[in-house]
Structure formats: C-alpha cells, structure tokens
Amino acid sequence: MTAVNVNDTGGFAIPSLKERRKAVLVGRRVTEAGIRTDDEPNNVFYGILLIVSVFVAIGLVMVLSASSIVSVNSGGSAFTMFLKQLTWAIVGLIAAIGTYRMPYHAWQRLNKPILAVVLGLNVLPFTPLGISVNGARAWVEMGPIRFQPSELLKFALIIYLTNNLGRRQRELTDFARTFRPALFAWGIAAGVAMAQRDLGAAIVLSGIALTVLYMAGSPVRWIAVSAIGAFVAGVGYILTSPSRVSRWTAFLDIEANKEHTGYQVWQSMLSISNGGLLGVGPGAGTSKWGYVPLAHSDFIFTVVAEEFGFVGSTIVIGGFFALTLLGFIVAMRAPDYSGALLAAGITVWFAVQATINIGGVVGAMPVTGLTLPLISYGGSSLLITLSAAGLLLNIARKIH
C-alpha cells in the first residue's frame, strides 16, 4: 500500500500523483520508457530467432531447388511447390506472431478445448476427405488445401501436459491427479498417430510426453514403466506387418537392401557423398532428378548435403544443436514452472524430430516419414513448427 509517508517534521505527507505512478511502475518492474524489464529480448531470444529465421530461409531455397523437377513433371511450373511453401511460410509467420504476443498461460488455459478440437480433426483422415500418402492415411484434402492433422497433435499435447502438470506441481506423486491424465492424453495422441500408420509422429509424441513428465518431476519409476510399455507397443505395431518389418530393419544392411526397401537411403547416401566438402552448388544436385524419392520433403537434407556439402550439412546439424541448447536454457531460466515445461517440450519436439529425420536420411536409423522441422516441404508442418517457435520465443523474452 502507498497511502502516506512521514515527512521531515514528523507529519504526514501525501505522495504526489507522479510519485504514486512511479511506485506502481517500479512494483510492476516497468521502466520509465514503459517497457517491462523482464520482457526485454535477450541474447538467448535473439539466438533462437536467428536460427529459426535462417532455417526457414534455407528451407525455401532448398524446396525451390528440390521440387522444381517434380513440379515440372507433374505438369506445373518449376515454382509451384515453392510458391505453396512460401504461402505457408507467410501464414506460419502470422501464426508465430500470434503465439509470441499472446501470453502462454492463455494458451494453457485453453488446453482442453484445443486438445478436443485437434483430436476431432484427426478423425478426418478416416473419412472420405482423408487420403493416403506413402502408406500413411494421415492427410486430409479439401479442394486445393491438403494438411496433416497429426502435426497439430504435437502442439496440443504439449499445451495439455504443461498445463496439467504445471498447475499440480505439489501433487506429482498423486497418480490419479497428475500422472494418469497425462498418460491418458499421451496414449490417445500416440494411438491416433499409429491408427493413421504414422509411427514417426507417435515416436515424437512419446518423446515430448516422457520429457515433460521427467522435467516436471514425476516419479521416475512411473516414467520408466510407461516408456517400456510404449516401446513394447511400438515393436508390436511394427511386427504386425511384414512390409513394415522390412522397412524398419532395412537400415541394418542398406547395401543388401539397396534394390528394394533400402533404395531411397542408398541413393541418398550416394548423393551425400557426391557433395564432398563444399557441395556441387545450389541447384546443381542430381538427387532431385528422381534418384531420391521425396527429395523435397522427407529427404531434403540429402539435397542440402549434396549442393552445399559437408559445410552446409554441418550448419544445419549445428543449428539444430544450438537451438536445442538455447531451448533448454530457456526451460531452465523460465520465469515459472509451466513456462519451463512448455519450453522443454517444444525443444525436445524439434530435437527428436530432426534427429530421426537426419538419422534416417544418412542410414543410421529407420526411415519414419518425418519431415525436417522448418526446412522440409510441407505446409501443415511448417505452420505448426513456426507456431511452436513463436511460443518458445514468448517464453525466451521473459527469462532472467
């Protein structure tokens, strides 16, 4: 309370309007310029902003290079896919500004409606609007618009988990109150992805859930049991189909499988080796001429490595490493518990998806069909990852 002060003579002095206003501003940690000191962008904020911006720019250039041949062969212009990606990038930028400016606690308060709407959208692939792409029925096509609802699941799950665990941080050992709702939401989201035959998305969702639960402080034994259960469910899912087994085990001996299940990865490795140290130059790569299927989306890292060589590959991998490091710095310095969990969830999302994508492209891991965040062709993926990046920046500007 700032009602009165004692003056030099021992009497009471009523503070002036200017003094009271100044006291209020100081209490709110606001400078005389009217800017909140704890909202001023910092080096971590600018680092994340720079990496995201560079990745989107690299992605647009690589999509133009990698998709031009496919676009022409499909009867369109060499710029068809590029213009679509550019349009989605602009829409994604608008979405990122929205998630950046809107307080993240407001998003968390909407966690249940967001999750319910997203789960409803993920029913659409099983309706006549749904289409199958590369064996996964995870897409919806409505006229000229095609999108993948499972991308929204990652965003919705993070919002739900961080709100649920953030509000109940004193009840983390209460299985019914905290862990069971989180486990249920994770199971539903991963189950929907697997029903769409998109195991890659289910793996990313699981990585997000396990990380948020661990960072929240949930009992490790519960997390370990859940992780083992998820692993068994994933292996069981793979074993239900011989073609799925062969695809997921092809990376163990790519040369022996280069004529069938390992063809795409083998061609990718040849193209990467063709890039050498500095690459063959922008637009001069051969992988996009049909040798590497989906060079503009899932295998866009192949085009980067061939056209920009070891240097370009290192920049991309190093960029994701730096983004992961900065994201965890935001999580550790976040102003509150919910912000920390939210930053950690988004960071793990980007890190896990990038690792799986690049690992599959270079033959170190099974190919899952996941895109390279912020770089690969794909409107719904770019839109959601930019929205998540805006939310991460929202938290980053508040760190101490």
Side-chain angles (χ1 to χ4, degrees):
M1 292 177 62
T2 307
V4 293
N5 294 322
V6 179
N7 60 20
D8 296 336
T9 63
F12 292 103
I14 299 176
S16 66
L17 177 62
K18 181 179 179 180
E19 291 171 333
R20 281 181 287 174
R21 183 175 181 276
K22 185 177 180 180
V24 170
L25 291 176
V26 171
R28 293 181 181 176
R29 300 183 68 193
V30 183
T31 66
E32 291 183 359
I35 303 174
R36 292 187 56 166
T37 57
D38 59 345
D39 279 4
E40 292 181 358
N42 46 70
N43 291 337
V44 175
F45 172 91
Y46 286 120
I48 294 172
L49 180 62
L50 176 63
I51 293 170
V52 170
S53 301
V54 169
F55 274 175
V56 172
I58 290 174
L60 289 172
V61 173
M62 289 294 94
V63 166
L64 176 58
S65 176
S67 67
S68 56
I69 306 301
V70 177
S71 297
V72 171
N73 289 340
S74 300
S77 162
F79 296 93
T80 300
M81 289 187 178
F82 167 75
L83 292 175
K84 287 183 179 180
Q85 188 77 347
L86 179 61
T87 302
W88 279 108
I90 294 171
V91 175
L93 175 61
I94 296 171
I97 293 172
T99 55
Y100 170 73
R101 296 183 63 86
M102 182 175 173
Y104 58 87
H105 290 293
W107 286 100
Q108 290 175 320
R109 284 193 290 270
L110 296 172
N111 68 98
K112 291 182 179 178
I114 290 175
L115 186 60
V117 170
V118 170
L119 287 174
L121 288 174
N122 274 272
V123 175
L124 293 178
F126 303 105
T127 69
L129 295 174
I131 59 173
S132 295
V133 178
N134 301 319
R137 192 171 181 82
W139 297 83
V140 175
E141 190 171 59
M142 295 185 292
I145 299 176
R146 177 187 293 184
F147 67 97
Q148 191 174 5
S150 61
E151 291 291 337
L152 293 165
L153 274 176
K154 302 165 188 174
F155 188 88
L157 182 63
I158 288 175
I159 296 295
Y160 177 83
L161 291 178
T162 54
N163 176 76
N164 182 62
L165 296 169
R167 287 189 303 105
R168 299 171 181 172
Q169 53 185 294
R170 296 183 179 179
E171 304 173 272
L172 290 173
T173 56
D174 188 331
F175 184 86
R177 287 278 294 166
T178 57
F179 200 84
R180 186 167 63 189
L183 193 63
F184 182 74
W186 165 28
I188 292 294
V192 167
M194 292 174 71
Q196 295 173 356
R197 298 194 291 275
D198 189 356
L199 186 55
I203 292 173
V204 174
L205 289 166
S206 298
I208 291 170
L210 290 170
T211 301
V212 171
L213 286 167
Y214 179 78
M215 297 259 326
S218 297
V220 176
R221 64 183 183 277
W222 295 352
I223 298 174
V225 170
S226 302
I228 293 171
F231 177 78
V232 171
V235 172
Y237 175 79
I238 293 171
L239 294 176
T240 58
S241 168
S243 62
R244 200 174 290 139
V245 172
S246 61
R247 196 182 81 178
W248 275 76
T249 57
F251 81 101
L252 298 173
D253 192 350
I254 296 173
E255 188 172 3
N257 295 288
K258 64 181 179 181
E259 299 296 334
H260 35 89
T261 52
Y263 171 81
Q264 192 174 17
V265 178
W266 177 257
Q267 292 296 327
S268 172
M269 294 170 64
L270 293 177
S271 297
I272 291 173
S273 64
N274 186 45
L277 180 63
L278 299 177
V280 297
T286 58
S287 56
K288 61 198 176 187
W289 287 81
Y291 295 106
V292 180
L294 301 176
H296 58 287
S297 56
D298 300 358
F299 278 70
I300 200 165
F301 183 78
T302 304
V303 184
V304 174
E306 184 180 18
E307 298 188 357
F308 292 95
F310 177 78
V311 174
S313 303
T314 301
I315 290 174
V316 172
I317 295 173
F320 277 111
F321 181 82
L323 183 60
T324 302
L325 179 62
L326 293 174
F328 278 119
I329 290 175
V330 173
M332 291 185 289
R333 298 182 184 176
D336 56 38
Y337 192 68
S338 296
L341 296 180
L342 194 55
I346 294 171
T347 301
V348 169
W349 166 7
F350 288 1
V352 170
Q353 187 161 329
T355 300
I356 294 175
N357 175 273
I358 295 174
V361 167
V362 301
M365 300 174 67
V367 176
T368 60
L370 288 172
T371 57
L372 188 59
L374 302 169
I375 297 178
S376 289
Y377 175 79
S380 50
S381 174
L382 183 59
L383 171 63
I384 299 304
T385 50
L386 279 174
S387 300
L391 205 51
L392 182 60
L393 289 169
N394 190 335
I395 306 165
R397 70 178 179 180
K398 298 178 183 296
I399 68 174
H400 305 297

